[in-house]
Amino acid sequence: MTSTRLGGLDDFRVPAALLVIAIHTGPLLSISPAANYLLTDILARLAVPFFFAVSGWFLLPRVQQQGMAALLPFLKKILILYSISACLYYPVKIYNHTFSWTSLPRELIFDGPFYHLWYFPALLLGTLLVCLSLRYLGRRGTAVLCAALYLFGLLGDSYYGLTQAIPPLHRLYEALFQCFDYTRNGLFFAPLFLLLGDRAGQNPPRHGRQRCWIGFGLGLTALIVEGLTVKYFNLARFDAFYLALPPCLYALLQGLRTLELPPRPGLRAWSGAIYILHPMCILLVRGFAKMSGQTALLVDQSLVHYAAVVGLSALLALPFVLLRRRPSTSARSRAWIELDAGALQHNLAVLRDRLPAGCTLMAVVKANAYGHGAVEIARLCAAEGVDAFAVATAQEGAQLRRAGIRGTILVLGYSGPELVPLLARCRLTQTVVSAEHARLLDGCGRRLQVHLKLDTGMHRLGIPWDDAASLASIYACQNLKVTGTFTHLARAGQRTLEGEHATEKQLACFRTATERLRCAGFDPGALHVQSSYGLLNYPEVTCAYVRLGIALYGCLSAPGDHPRLSLPLHPVLALRARVVQVRALCPGETAGYDGDFTAVRPCRVAVLAIGYADGWPRCLSHGVGQVLLHGKPFPVAGLICMDQMLVDVTEVPDVRPGDIATLIGRDGDAELTAAQAARDAGTIANELLSRLGPRLERILLP
Ligand SMILES: *Cc1c(COP(=O)(O)O)cnc(C)c1O
């Protein structure tokens, strides 16, 4: 699920792998030891952190969204790779007489059995540490922890010399070095880079391509200066850690992202195989040199040695590219939702353009963002600078926080006192619906931000707008801080005299109530009244927020609606399903449950892999609903089933299994809107969309 083309990350794996080999071979040693130091002890130090960051980039968002279970397949994969590597290299160690039982545990957990194989245990330990920390300490806590661990590791590494000045600290490190040889491991080194990758992946570059690369250039310069300084003062015990490394790497990741290259999964397998195999290749090249008497050329000539190792590693890694499992296209095999990021960006721009000065857009992403996918939509909005969101429940709000969404998240629905710890921990703003509700929330003893919900005529949730005593009692609650006051319009969508009159009355009540609060010395905070139809029919109302749901998604609730403001909004969602079978029916044959569809002539029906369990209403059965195929509408045949439905495609003979049907969206010149399908089903687009189920994968289109 990603909209930007991240091929830059794939491409950089090749130079990164070459740099790792350089670290272990010293390609410039026989030419200039100083140049070699610059290459292998300073510049090449970017390579391994880069690999950690790439893991963090792809793994951590998944874990934050789906929970720790999402970590298991990753850990399994790394454990398998680690086991293969250990099986490859322990025999070598036994043969070399460098194997020892006593150092086995520290090798397996921290230092790795051979050369750079510390990478695997570090990756395992580091991801576990970061994921647990994200869960229990939150994002900010984790950032602080990882930075602190890195600084601690740094003092035991490149800046070890400094600890001489503080003997207790020095003794602490000496004690720790009984447990591992280096601080460059999964505890101190890997976590920060894993987290850095996560951040780089979630925050698109703020600046253009050029500024990203200038930033990288500056970071690289700082890294070189720092590396030379450390060398000059002879501070280092080992030289994996530098202060300039994290910012330099971050700039590199952002720069690579701006390249927008197509992905190259083959390079992932290849660089991974090189990574595992090259130490073996070093041994093979040395062994061959010894046997053939070519040591002077193949080993002592450092560049030749390097080239030989690179060549052999690249060659031995080739089969892994060819054997690589093809990425599955399972996402589009059955039925799925396509999200048009461009349409959402367009709608945001169009809607913001119509907001009165000083008014902010609050994106309503309740009910899984009206079925679109709450995290996907909230992230897209956040990337466009939206910093206020509304959800229906505390759990929905917590899901957004876990996905890294910042800013205000207002819970529109009722939350009981049992949810106060979650509300407080996730810094959610809770709607207060009555004085009694306020008392219950206040009694939990946690500080909460709240918005007051006034009932001005909808008579759903809310404090009666003229109930001054209740309102005053809420302001007396010590733990509740009122940061906003709002109401909901019951009839903003009705353009009848009656509807307009009722709305004007609600608006007047709201104004009076908030003025009275101010006069009584209470601050009502940010005011908001309108939802989508409130904005479209009453654009002149000025408030702090407008709560936009359905309009943000580019839909009207019903196709016949003609709000006063007619804005060029684009639908964000398309719903598609695969044709999995096509069959011919003779006249008189029936299809589907209850024989509901009867062929009155020779017919062809297509089976679509989508049903009412996916949220497609069963009441669209037998011709009530339509789907698009080959750019034309076809009627639903028979009764819609739980997981499948039939379409009569007799009119177009070339419909085949594998074809893609469109249930909502555009296909060629034809279009079916959510509002049309909803009307056919006797409901509004809001209901139809919000019921689209979790079985449909959400695919983000750039
Ligand atoms: C759902 C909801 C909205 C958003 O409504 P749309 O008509 O989809 O824009 C706004 N305010 C409240 C209180 C809501 O419950």
Side-chain angles (χ1 to χ4, degrees):
M1 187 224 73
T2 168
S3 63
T4 14
R5 307 207 299 165
L6 297 175
L9 291 183
D10 288 338
D11 288 356
F12 192 75
R13 284 167 195 263
V14 177
L18 294 182
L19 285 175
V20 173
I21 302 182
I23 293 177
H24 299 132
T25 49
L28 303 179
L29 266 181
S30 63
I31 300 165
S32 151
N36 192 67
Y37 179 82
L38 190 69
L39 176 67
T40 64
D41 294 72
I42 303 179
L43 294 181
R45 294 302 172 189
L46 270 169
V48 175
F50 169 79
F51 285 112
F52 282 129
V54 173
S55 294
W57 181 305
F58 293 105
L59 178 72
L60 294 181
R62 266 211 306 277
V63 175
Q64 288 168 77
Q65 264 173 51
Q66 301 164 16
M68 295 293 273
L71 191 56
L72 292 179
F74 176 80
L75 292 182
K76 192 173 133 199
K77 185 177 116 188
I78 300 304
L79 258 177
I80 291 175
L81 283 175
Y82 188 26
S83 311
I84 294 176
S85 319
C87 294
L88 216 56
Y89 288 104
Y90 267 112
V92 175
K93 285 184 76 121
I94 293 169
Y95 176 79
N96 275 349
H97 305 293
T98 50
F99 176 80
S100 112
W101 283 106
T102 46
S103 58
L104 192 64
R106 60 190 283 172
E107 279 178 10
L108 284 181
I109 300 173
F110 294 114
D111 297 334
F114 206 72
Y115 277 102
H116 66 302
L117 289 189
W118 64 275
Y119 177 79
F120 291 112
L123 193 55
L124 292 168
L125 204 60
T127 42
L128 264 176
L129 196 146
V130 173
C131 290
L132 285 172
S133 164
L134 278 170
R135 180 156 173 194
Y136 293 106
L137 301 181
R139 290 171 73 85
R140 207 167 295 160
T142 304
V144 172
L145 177 71
C146 293
L149 288 171
Y150 187 80
L151 286 178
F152 187 83
L154 179 113
L155 275 177
D157 191 87
S158 297
Y159 289 82
Y160 189 59
L162 297 182
T163 65
Q164 309 278 4
I166 313 169
L169 192 65
H170 191 69
R171 279 196 297 277
L172 173 66
Y173 280 105
E174 286 302 309
L176 283 176
F177 287 132
Q178 305 296 313
C179 311
F180 36 74
D181 281 341
Y182 306 103
T183 51
R184 176 221 59 185
N185 58 34
L187 279 185
F188 303 107
F189 191 70
L192 184 66
F193 295 113
L194 287 162
L195 193 69
L196 212 66
D198 175 52
R199 288 294 158 91
Q202 296 198 26
N203 302 326
R206 293 229 175 98
H207 311 294
R209 176 178 305 176
Q210 210 178 359
R211 296 215 9 216
C212 285
W213 289 114
I214 292 176
F216 176 58
L218 290 175
L220 217 51
T221 313
L223 187 65
I224 293 172
V225 171
E226 186 183 2
L228 294 177
T229 311
V230 163
K231 171 103 174 145
Y232 181 78
F233 289 104
N234 202 13
L235 293 175
R237 180 175 180 273
F238 185 63
D239 49 18
F241 287 79
Y242 291 109
L243 285 169
L245 202 46
C248 187
L249 181 70
Y250 193 80
L252 172 66
L253 293 170
Q254 296 289 33
L256 291 172
R257 183 176 186 154
T258 61
L259 297 181
E260 300 199 5
L261 297 168
R264 264 191 275 254
L267 290 182
R268 292 171 214 166
W270 193 59
S271 62
I274 289 188
Y275 204 90
I276 295 181
L277 293 173
H278 80 265
M280 190 64 90
C281 296
I282 296 176
L283 297 178
L284 289 175
V285 168
R286 295 203 170 164
F288 175 77
K290 215 179 211 169
M291 280 188 332
S292 59
Q294 296 291 328
T295 304
L297 173 69
L298 277 178
V299 179
D300 298 344
Q301 293 283 341
S302 60
L303 253 182
V304 178
H305 178 56
Y306 178 66
V309 173
V310 167
L312 189 61
S313 308
L315 205 66
L316 291 185
L318 265 188
F320 292 86
V321 185
L322 304 176
L323 289 175
R324 154 185 80 89
R325 263 189 298 163
R326 304 278 147 195
S328 79
T329 48
S330 68
R332 286 184 167 89
S333 71
R334 191 182 164 267
W336 63 94
I337 283 170
E338 289 169 3
L339 299 174
D340 183 343
L344 186 71
Q345 287 153 0
H346 166 86
N347 297 345
L348 279 169
V350 167
L351 289 163
R352 280 170 153 173
D353 201 39
R354 300 314 294 246
L355 298 185
C359 179
T360 306
L361 187 149
M362 180 183 279
V364 180
V365 292
K366 61 188 178 188
N368 203 22
Y370 294 43
H372 289 60
V375 169
E376 288 87 345
I377 295 294
R379 286 212 172 124
L380 287 172
C381 289
E384 297 299 309
V386 174
D387 60 359
F389 298 87
V391 292
T393 69
Q395 286 84 353
E396 287 181 350
Q399 182 197 20
L400 295 188
R401 282 286 187 246
R402 278 199 300 276
I405 299 298
R406 294 180 208 167
T408 301
I409 299 181
L410 174 64
V411 179
L412 295 168
Y414 176 86
S415 302
E418 68 284 359
L419 288 167
V420 166
L422 184 66
L423 292 168
R425 177 151 41 91
C426 295
R427 302 178 317 285
L428 305 177
T429 304
Q430 173 59 43
T431 295
V432 168
V433 305
S434 67
E436 172 64 7
H437 186 208
R439 201 180 57 74
L440 286 173
L441 296 176
D442 188 47
C444 297
R446 301 284 301 263
R447 297 278 300 164
L448 282 187
Q449 300 213 342
V450 297
H451 281 200
L452 302 180
K453 173 83 179 270
L454 301 185
D455 177 17
T456 56
M458 172 115 177
H459 298 331
R460 197 173 60 178
L461 290 179
I463 309 142
W465 65 275
D466 52 357
D467 182 354
S470 287
L471 288 169
S473 79
I474 296 170
Y475 279 89
C477 291
Q478 294 294 312
N479 290 314
L480 305 186
K481 180 168 168 49
V482 178
T483 53
T485 300
F486 72 106
T487 192
H488 196 47
L489 300 175
R491 306 176 69 163
Q494 283 180 314
R495 289 195 60 200
T496 57
L497 260 182
E498 221 187 335
E500 286 175 8
H501 181 69
T503 302
E504 293 299 348
K505 208 169 137 199
Q506 279 197 278
L507 290 169
C509 293
F510 185 71
R511 268 193 299 271
T512 310
T514 51
E515 269 155 32
R516 282 188 194 161
L517 278 177
R518 282 208 191 88
C519 290
F522 301 126
D523 179 6
L527 305 184
H528 45 111
V529 173
Q530 298 140 288
S531 55
S532 296
Y533 278 78
L535 175 73
L536 297 179
N537 283 330
Y538 301 88
E540 66 287 344
V541 173
T542 52
C543 273
Y545 291 117
V546 170
R547 307 182 300 267
L548 293 180
I550 196 74
L552 190 59
Y553 306 110
C555 298
L556 292 175
S557 296
D561 288 344
H562 296 288
R564 265 174 59 205
L565 265 189
S566 139
L567 300 180
L569 300 173
H570 299 335
V572 173
L573 175 145
L575 177 63
R576 309 204 196 268
R578 197 64 81 168
V579 174
V580 289
Q581 205 172 15
V582 178
R583 66 172 68 251
L585 297 178
C586 301
E589 277 187 307
T590 65
Y593 282 121
D594 301 347
D596 190 79
F597 175 80
T598 308
V600 292
R601 51 183 176 156
C603 267
R604 279 161 40 87
V605 291
V607 184
L608 305 189
I610 186 169
Y612 59 76
D614 298 294
W616 200 242
R618 187 168 177 273
C619 60
L620 290 174
S621 297
H622 34 237
V624 176
Q626 299 193 321
V627 308
L628 302 177
L629 268 161
H630 295 214
K632 294 188 198 65
F634 292 90
V636 175
L639 292 171
I640 294 175
C641 312
M642 186 180 280
D643 317 304
Q644 281 129 108
M645 60 190 268
L646 304 172
V647 178
D648 182 354
V649 294
T650 313
E651 298 302 328
V652 174
D654 57 350
V655 170
R656 286 194 186 83
D659 287 356
I660 294 173
T662 299
L663 292 88
I664 297 174
R666 200 166 254 297
D667 178 8
D669 291 333
E671 184 177 18
L672 283 176
T673 65
Q676 286 163 347
R679 179 198 50 201
D680 294 342
T683 181
I684 55 173
N686 312 42
E687 180 187 353
L688 183 88
L689 291 171
S690 65
R691 282 172 174 262
L692 293 177
R695 208 161 65 176
L696 301 165
E697 181 147 0
R698 273 76 181 164
I699 297 171
L700 198 54
L701 309 179

